Amino acid sequence: MSDLDRTLLDLAAAAAELAYTPYSNFRVGAALVTGSGEVFSGANIENAAYGACVCAETNAITTAAAAGTRRIEVVAVVCLDGDLCTPCGNCRQVMREFGVKRVVMRTGEGEPRSVPLEGLLPESFGPEALG
């Protein structure tokens, strides 16, 4: 595992500590690095109207996008409560939109696992299909 992966996983764990999860108590954090080397993080935010919940990965990616980022290299995901959690389908599609190459995951203190995005979202639909 690279120093970058370790740093992103640590930042994701710190973000997970800030998660707002009064319904599930399932804290997830994410951290990413952009093509230009900027780092952003996010945590899952729940809402009584479940459809308004935001996953940690999407939170971090939309924060980066709002700052002008259009390319993301690596996303790290840490779950503090329970087993290794892989990104949901919606988050995988959001990652695809911004060109994520790799996802690094671990539980709070568990062994990290690195997977190319294509391994999580094979034969995916992306922006190039539109035009």
Side-chain angles (χ1 to χ4, degrees):
M1 181 170 64
S2 72
D3 288 342
L4 174 63
D5 289 354
R6 281 187 194 87
T7 298
L8 290 174
L9 287 167
D10 289 345
L11 290 169
E17 293 285 350
L18 301 173
Y20 177 73
T21 60
Y23 307 105
S24 72
N25 295 310
F26 190 74
R27 299 170 298 161
V28 180
L32 62 85
V33 64
T34 69
S36 64
E38 292 178 281
V39 175
F40 294 88
S41 62
N44 57 324
I45 307 297
E46 295 180 346
N47 190 290
Y50 292 150
C53 294
V54 180
C55 296
E57 302 92 309
T58 294
N59 191 339
I61 291 168
T62 56
T63 299
T69 296
R70 297 298 178 259
R71 280 288 183 235
I72 296 168
E73 297 293 317
V74 180
V75 175
V77 182
V78 172
C79 171
L80 297 182
D81 307 298
D83 296 330
L84 179 76
C85 57
T86 62
C88 72
N90 186 60
C91 287
R92 293 173 193 205
Q93 188 62 45
V94 171
M95 289 179 191
R96 173 67 169 82
E97 182 73 18
F98 289 92
V100 171
K101 294 178 178 67
R102 194 165 52 87
V103 180
V104 182
M105 302 162 281
R106 76 163 195 228
T107 58
E109 297 302 323
E111 282 295 311
R113 180 176 169 206
S114 178
V115 179
L117 183 62
E118 187 163 306
L120 294 174
L121 191 65
E123 299 182 43
S124 64
F125 178 82
E128 69 284 347
L130 299 175

